[in-house]
Amino acid sequence: MGFVEAATNKSMGKVKNSRSSDTVMEIAMYAFAVIFLVILMYPLFFIIIASFSDPSAVANGQVWLFPKGFTMDGYRELLRHENIWIGYRNTILYTVVGTAIGLIVNISAAYALSRKDLFGRKFLSLFFIFTMFFNGGLIPTFLTVRDFHLYDTFLVMVLPFSVIVYDIIVARTFFQSSIPGDLWEAAQIDGCGNLRYFVQVVLPLSKAIIAVLGLWIAVGYWNSYFNALIYLKNPDLYPLQLILRNILITNQMQSSMGTGEAAQIALRLANLMRYSVIIVATVPILCLYPFVQKYFNQGVMIGAVKE
Amino acid sequence: MRAGQFAPGRTIGQIRRNWGLYLLLLPAVVLTLLFAYKPMYGVIIAFKDYSPASGITGSPWAGFKYFEKFFHSYQFTTTIKNTLVISVYSLITFPIPILLALMVNQMRPNRFRRFFQTVSYMPHFISTVVMVGLMMILFSPSTGLLGSLYQLFGGEAPDLMGSAGLFSSVYVWSDVWQHVGWDSIIYIAALSAVDPSLYEAATVDGASRFHKIRYIDIPMLMPTAITLLILRVGGLLGVGFEKVYLMQNDLNITSSEILSTYVYKIGLLSSQYSFSSAINLFNTVINFILLIMVNQISKKFSENSLW
């Protein structure tokens, strides 16, 4: 393989030398790639340096590459906001419990659907897939949740919407293509039942798909605000994103402030805090990603669409 | 199990033998029945004068009253037009992840390529709330990055977040910024499945890079692209609530009120359950028809279809 690759590169290199259009294209491509990287990264970089800078320097356009008037006041102000920490705690709880439930529900369903000897397999797949294209809509779903007395409870944040059909399809494809059918036949001869086979043989072979789905589901829970907006009333249950919305978008902090110089300072702190709160809310979920990245190459993504 | 071999005794035997698989499916099936299919039944409140006291079955029938009310309301054309503008505009950006994937595929597998990919995925992990908060901070004409940039060149920045005319552009391009890298993963995965000997043969035949992209890479991506395109068109009227709702303000409301935000306001904020459900149902049905139509067309002209 290595030899073939080397040979290919060599022959491609030779041809490339004789084609100036290829060289031009190469240069243009890398130049574009660098511009693209700057456009993607700079806004994020700016938020980081702005969170450590004097807010008036930021407002006057003096902050470009390094923090100006270094300060930790934004972060210090953040520490004083009790709501944020309640939201943080709730989000961690929702993410951990929700991801566990989501993995159990979706992975087991996906495995069962991947088995060719499952009677009613076609019907059961359709049963799930239909819900991707047709649903009751906001109000009937809301009424259902309320009828089950889940409105304004912890459970509404982790249970009702834990079946994710797209994830089931992806995992099903993974099981079909990477768990050999012979394995089940061998296990069966040894007297192993479906459940034991699933837990002791299938799951250990499926770390890649568990990692990828786990990441998707966790990111979903960490970032969601819609369900909280609709199904929660009690502020003690609010997830971080809903509190962020109040701080970043509806600006609920400023309304409680007085006038005069004290208000001016408070306003500046509030602005500074908006930068730091973005970082504090985003960094934890970004940290998950590198651990899972290596599994992305296992062909999960193609499987998702190719059926 | 071919249809010809069907025998009741055998079927029951098979179900009994595989009871473990049905147990694995149980949680997902129960949750889907309760939270996806039960609300579908609730859709009938769109045809009723729903009152919480008498419940879904007890409420009197209203026929198509609420549909007519929506068709005659002044919001009808506005919301549909806004929804269509945003979704068709998004649809036009559909090829961008494909272009990015083609470009990444041309890069030599080295450190730069890995770095490029990692960075391009990153914005995907930012939550919608933080994303909109970020936009509000960066696009502020007086204190934001954009404002500073314009000041640097002696101009005055436009108010991107408070402009009805620019709403769809801001919405769509910020989405491209956030998701283009992530959306390209699937195409990069598809391209990695190209048989290297194809490139070799093309090189021997004197193909340039451009030729290889045109005659090997693009045909390779077509099935994946068409499948994704069908799904996108099927959701043409289903522009998500989350981001639009957060971006809405009094200044841009004329072009930011879309079907889903309207459904939310009518239903949950002003408690007109039946009216809201009717609008929602209208939306779902149109999406469903679009999906079936596009799938049919694709079946006719290419070999790709969802079913």
Side-chain angles (χ1 to χ4, degrees):
Chain A
M1 188 62 212
F3 173 74
V4 175
E5 231 168 66
T8 321
N9 283 344
K10 213 169 147 193
S11 62
M12 273 168 82
K14 233 185 252 160
V15 175
K16 203 184 70 193
N17 285 341
S18 64
R19 282 185 178 276
S20 56
S21 71
D22 278 5
T23 319
V24 171
M25 201 174 134
E26 181 125 320
I27 294 170
M29 183 183 86
Y30 280 105
F32 178 78
V34 170
I35 295 170
F36 184 79
L37 279 182
V38 171
I39 294 173
L40 280 185
M41 282 172 73
Y42 187 71
L44 303 174
F45 175 73
F46 177 79
I47 295 292
I48 298 174
I49 54 174
S51 75
F52 291 109
S53 299
D54 177 7
S56 45
V58 176
N60 294 334
Q62 292 169 320
V63 176
W64 292 104
L65 283 176
F66 304 102
K68 189 140 193 170
F70 185 89
T71 169
M72 297 279 278
D73 285 354
Y75 293 91
R76 215 168 289 140
E77 179 71 10
L78 207 60
L79 281 171
R80 288 187 14 215
H81 259 263
E82 220 177 297
N83 283 345
I84 289 176
W85 302 110
I86 294 175
Y88 231 104
R89 184 201 65 197
N90 291 338
T91 290
I92 291 171
L93 274 176
Y94 296 144
T95 303
V96 171
V97 178
T99 306
I101 293 178
L103 278 177
I104 293 170
V105 169
N106 293 306
I107 295 267
S108 13
Y111 174 67
L113 290 175
S114 79
R115 280 275 294 272
K116 298 224 158 60
D117 56 342
L118 178 83
F119 178 77
R121 182 166 172 253
K122 254 204 151 136
F123 167 77
L124 285 162
S125 296
L126 202 68
F127 168 84
F128 289 112
I129 290 172
F130 183 67
T131 64
M132 280 176 98
F133 303 111
F134 198 85
N135 58 66
L138 182 69
I139 296 301
T141 311
F142 175 81
L143 294 176
T144 304
V145 166
R146 221 183 43 182
D147 287 349
F148 289 137
H149 302 289
L150 289 172
Y151 182 73
D152 209 22
T153 60
F154 176 86
L155 223 50
V156 79
M157 295 300 290
V158 293
L159 189 67
F161 311 105
S162 55
V163 177
I164 304 165
V165 180
Y166 184 81
D167 292 7
I168 292 183
I169 296 175
V170 173
R172 186 188 67 179
T173 315
F174 175 89
F175 289 130
Q176 270 166 4
S177 56
S178 56
I179 309 280
D182 303 348
L183 217 54
W184 164 238
E185 266 147 46
Q188 219 176 358
I189 291 166
D190 290 343
C192 177
N194 273 310
L195 293 179
R196 220 181 90 194
Y197 175 71
F198 176 64
V199 174
Q200 293 188 345
V201 180
V202 176
L203 288 185
L205 289 174
S206 311
K207 286 193 193 100
I209 194 67
I210 295 172
V212 171
L213 285 204
L215 176 79
W216 288 354
I217 298 173
V219 171
Y221 276 111
W222 187 275
N223 285 344
S224 80
Y225 87 97
F226 181 70
N227 283 345
L229 181 75
I230 289 170
Y231 298 112
L232 293 183
K233 191 175 57 188
N234 179 0
D236 287 338
L237 289 174
Y238 280 1
L240 184 61
Q241 299 296 332
L242 210 55
I243 294 167
L244 284 184
R245 170 175 166 261
N246 296 345
I247 294 173
L248 288 172
I249 293 161
T250 46
N251 252 336
Q252 284 185 6
M253 287 185 313
Q254 280 149 9
S255 57
S256 58
M257 292 161 192
T259 47
E261 204 173 326
Q264 279 290 315
I265 294 169
L267 187 71
R268 273 180 40 190
L269 271 179
N271 273 332
L272 187 56
M273 204 179 93
R274 292 163 104 184
Y275 295 104
S276 29
V277 85
I278 286 181
I279 291 173
V280 171
T282 309
V283 166
I285 201 69
L286 270 179
C287 290
L288 258 186
Y289 169 62
F291 294 104
V292 183
Q293 194 183 16
K294 63 175 176 185
Y295 294 112
F296 277 150
N297 302 327
Q298 301 209 356
V300 187
M301 310 286 175
I302 331 174
V305 172
K306 269 198 177 162
E307 268 284 295
Chain B
M1 276 253 98
R2 293 272 141 256
Q5 299 172 316
F6 186 82
R10 232 180 124 158
T11 310
I12 291 168
Q14 202 166 23
I15 293 177
R16 194 177 297 159
R17 207 170 43 248
N18 277 335
W19 64 271
L21 294 183
Y22 295 96
L23 198 66
L24 288 175
L25 269 169
L26 192 68
V29 168
V30 169
L31 285 169
T32 305
L33 277 176
L34 292 182
F35 296 102
Y37 283 94
K38 189 173 179 287
M40 282 185 208
Y41 161 76
V43 165
I44 59 171
I45 68 168
F47 304 97
K48 288 192 161 197
D49 275 318
Y50 177 77
S51 84
S54 23
I56 295 176
T57 16
S59 299
W61 289 98
F64 286 91
K65 187 170 99 184
Y66 290 106
F67 291 89
E68 276 161 29
K69 186 174 167 190
F70 178 51
F71 298 151
H72 292 136
S73 82
Y74 74 101
Q75 285 286 27
F76 178 70
T77 9
T78 322
T79 49
I80 291 197
K81 198 190 97 202
N82 291 342
T83 312
L84 273 176
V85 165
I86 293 173
S87 54
V88 172
Y89 198 157
S90 305
L91 206 61
I92 295 171
T93 66
F94 182 81
I96 297 178
I98 301 179
L99 293 176
L100 192 72
L102 290 172
M103 191 177 94
V104 170
N105 193 51
Q106 289 297 316
M107 290 179 188
R108 276 181 226 100
N110 58 14
R111 266 219 178 109
F112 180 78
R113 176 175 163 162
R114 266 207 306 277
F115 176 73
F116 182 85
Q117 281 192 270
T118 309
V119 170
S120 71
Y121 304 159
M122 248 180 347
H124 176 80
F125 291 93
I126 298 174
S127 76
T128 316
V129 174
V130 166
M131 183 66 198
V132 177
L134 206 70
M135 285 156 68
M136 289 174 72
I137 291 174
L138 296 178
F139 293 160
S140 155
S142 54
T143 59
L145 189 62
L146 192 77
S148 306
L149 212 63
Y150 268 83
Q151 267 167 33
L152 209 63
F153 298 104
E156 201 158 316
D159 184 8
L160 292 183
M161 301 303 285
S163 150
L166 292 170
F167 182 82
S168 53
S169 293
V170 176
Y171 177 89
V172 169
W173 290 105
S174 60
D175 243 31
V176 170
W177 182 85
Q178 193 178 2
H179 301 297
V180 65
W182 186 260
D183 292 346
S184 71
I185 295 181
I186 198 158
Y187 299 111
I188 293 171
L191 282 174
S192 69
V194 177
D195 184 353
S197 63
L198 271 178
Y199 289 125
E200 264 168 70
T203 311
V204 172
D205 289 345
S208 69
R209 252 165 203 269
F210 182 75
H211 285 131
K212 283 179 216 161
I213 293 175
R214 171 75 187 76
Y215 295 106
I216 301 174
D217 291 353
I218 292 181
M220 187 71 188
L221 292 180
M222 279 320 264
T224 311
I226 290 178
T227 312
L228 290 177
L229 193 64
I230 296 172
L231 286 171
R232 278 282 282 277
V233 175
L236 206 56
L237 280 181
V239 177
F241 168 91
E242 298 215 352
K243 194 170 156 198
V244 175
Y245 184 66
L246 291 170
M247 283 175 67
Q248 265 179 5
N249 54 44
D250 295 342
L251 297 168
N252 63 27
I253 194 75
T254 49
S255 52
S256 66
E257 192 76 295
I258 59 171
L259 280 164
S260 58
T261 53
Y262 192 53
V263 164
Y264 170 74
K265 285 174 192 168
I266 293 288
L268 286 183
L269 301 187
S270 60
S271 297
Q272 304 182 51
Y273 290 164
S274 289
F275 188 29
S276 173
S277 300
I279 305 168
N280 210 154
L281 182 59
F282 167 78
N283 190 352
T284 312
V285 168
I286 301 239
N287 277 343
F288 207 63
I289 293 172
L290 276 174
L291 181 76
I292 290 169
M293 261 168 44
V294 177
N295 196 49
Q296 256 0 76
I297 294 170
S298 165
K299 231 182 200 168
K300 208 167 181 177
F301 292 101
S302 72
E303 269 137 42
N304 304 291
S305 68
L306 288 179
W307 55 80

